[in-house]
């Protein structure tokens, strides 16, 4: 029984620090199933329904709500209570009218930021790789595991605005000097600023980016940590009205 429990559940004290659960309240919590986001950068759907949104008092109620198809992630019903929900995913609950985008706060914790219907109609996806297919078409591989075909010129690091759930590319947000970026990792997680300089190394050292905040302070972070969210202004609303 202990082996079965470890496959389906996760000891609470081993859960990622960004999960909003008390490590000593119970011994076990739900373990995310394999999916578009890693355990270190996602929240199980049950934790969202029960612990964050509070629309269920316990795990049994949460599983019932989820299994009924009442919770949509990126416009599609997700009935697996272990489904990993991660950065930039859009969670909607048609029955209550709730609409949320998953974003990091200033402490690096994933939060559900409430959004309106217009903002809930799209999500942002970062291009982490490109593949050339037979016939010369380009497949864009995104940070959330999805793939999109495109005939336009995109670069790794760019972000695309996708309509959901049909995945039509609406806009390209280039990773370039002057674009507005959200930092998703490191000690500056959750900070917003403009890209002032992109440092490309010719060695095994990682590429870095200089970010300037609204109050004219600058800091250096890894290029991979910067997720562009707009050119002149952010195309998404942000926690705290940033």
């Amino acid at each position: 029984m202990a082996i079965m429990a470890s496959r389906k559940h996760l000891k609470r004290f081993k859960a990622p620090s960004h999960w909003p659960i008390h490590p000593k309240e119970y011994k076990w919590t739900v373990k995310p199933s394999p999916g578009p986001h890693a355990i270190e950068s996602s929240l199980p759907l049950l934790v969202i329904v029960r612990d964050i949104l509070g629309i269920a008092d316990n795990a049994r109620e949460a599983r019932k709500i989820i299994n009924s198809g009442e919770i949509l992630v990126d416009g599609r019903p997700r009935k697996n209570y272990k489904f990993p929900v991660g950065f930039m995913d859009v969670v909607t609950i048609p029955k209550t009218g709730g609409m949320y985008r998953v974003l990091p706060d200033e402490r690096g914790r994933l939060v559900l930021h409430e959004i309106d219907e217009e903002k809930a109609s799209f999500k942002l996806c970062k291009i982490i790789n490109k593949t050339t297919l037979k016939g010369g078409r380009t497949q864009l591989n995104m940070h959330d595991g999805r793939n999109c075909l495109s005939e336009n010129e995109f670069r790794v690091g760019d972000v695309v605005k996708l309509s959901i759930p049909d995945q039509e590319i609406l806009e390209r947000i280039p990773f370039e000097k002057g674009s507005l970026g959200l930092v998703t990792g490191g000690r500056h997680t959750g900070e917003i600023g403009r890209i002032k300089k992109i440092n490309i190394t010719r060695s095994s050292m990682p590429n870095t980016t200089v970010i300037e905040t609204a109050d004219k302070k600058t800091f250096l972070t890894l290029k991979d940590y910067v997720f562009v969210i707009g050119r002149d202004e952010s195309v998404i609303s942000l926690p705290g009205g940033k």
Side-chain angles (χ1 to χ4, degrees):
M1 292 297 292
I3 295 177
M4 290 298 293
S6 65
R7 290 176 180 173
K8 296 182 179 180
H9 301 84
L10 182 71
K11 286 189 176 181
R12 283 198 167 218
F13 74 88
K14 291 186 177 181
S17 59
H18 63 261
W19 289 15
I21 58 176
H22 197 289
K24 296 183 179 179
E25 187 175 358
Y26 299 103
K27 183 176 181 180
W28 300 97
T29 187
V30 62
K31 183 178 182 179
S33 58
H37 300 280
I39 184 174
E40 297 82 9
S41 57
S42 65
L43 295 160
L45 195 52
L46 184 143
V47 169
I48 288 176
V49 171
R50 180 190 62 190
D51 301 287
I52 299 180
L53 298 180
I55 57 178
D57 293 328
N58 51 56
R60 183 178 180 181
E61 287 184 11
R63 286 195 295 266
K64 184 177 180 180
I65 291 171
I66 294 167
N67 192 54
S68 67
E70 295 180 33
I71 312 298
L72 279 61
V73 180
D74 293 342
R76 300 183 185 279
R78 295 295 181 182
K79 298 184 179 182
N80 176 11
Y81 70 92
K82 298 184 290 182
F83 182 81
V85 181
F87 176 63
M88 283 294 172
D89 285 353
V90 174
V91 178
T92 53
I93 312 171
K95 185 170 287 189
T96 66
M99 294 172 280
Y100 311 89
R101 192 183 306 280
V102 180
L103 295 168
D105 66 8
E106 67 281 355
R107 295 175 62 183
R109 300 170 302 183
L110 292 178
V111 297
L112 266 71
H113 172 59
E114 192 165 7
I115 55 179
D116 58 26
E117 187 174 359
E118 189 275 326
K119 291 289 192 293
S121 67
F122 68 87
K123 75 173 297 186
L124 300 184
C125 292
K126 182 177 181 178
I127 302 171
I128 60 172
N129 194 14
K130 297 195 304 181
T131 306
T132 300
L133 304 179
K134 187 179 296 186
R137 300 196 68 185
T138 300
Q139 176 178 280
L140 307 177
N141 307 315
M142 310 296 189
H143 83 279
D144 63 351
R146 75 182 67 222
N147 303 311
C148 295
L149 294 177
S150 175
E151 297 177 355
N152 297 321
E153 184 62 34
F154 292 93
R155 295 176 299 179
V156 171
D158 289 349
V159 165
V160 295
K161 179 180 177 181
L162 288 181
S163 62
I164 52 176
D166 54 342
Q167 300 192 104
E168 178 188 354
I169 296 178
L170 305 174
E171 181 182 347
R172 167 182 171 251
I173 306 173
F175 185 93
E176 63 185 13
K177 183 178 178 181
S179 290
L180 193 64
L182 167 64
V183 181
T184 61
R187 61 192 296 254
H188 295 284
T189 297
E191 293 196 46
I192 308 290
R194 294 207 176 274
I195 297 174
K196 298 299 291 182
K197 186 179 181 182
I198 303 169
N199 302 312
I200 305 298
T201 64
R202 303 300 177 186
S203 66
S204 59
M205 297 296 290
N207 298 325
T208 58
T209 304
V210 177
I211 300 291
E212 182 180 75
T213 61
D215 55 3
K216 302 303 179 181
K217 294 180 180 179
T218 61
F219 61 85
L220 186 70
T221 189
L222 294 182
K223 178 178 179 287
D224 288 346
Y225 285 165
V226 181
F227 192 108
V228 289
I229 55 175
R231 287 186 171 94
D232 297 327
E233 59 183 26
S234 175
V235 301
I236 60 172
S237 59
L238 297 163
K242 296 178 182 178

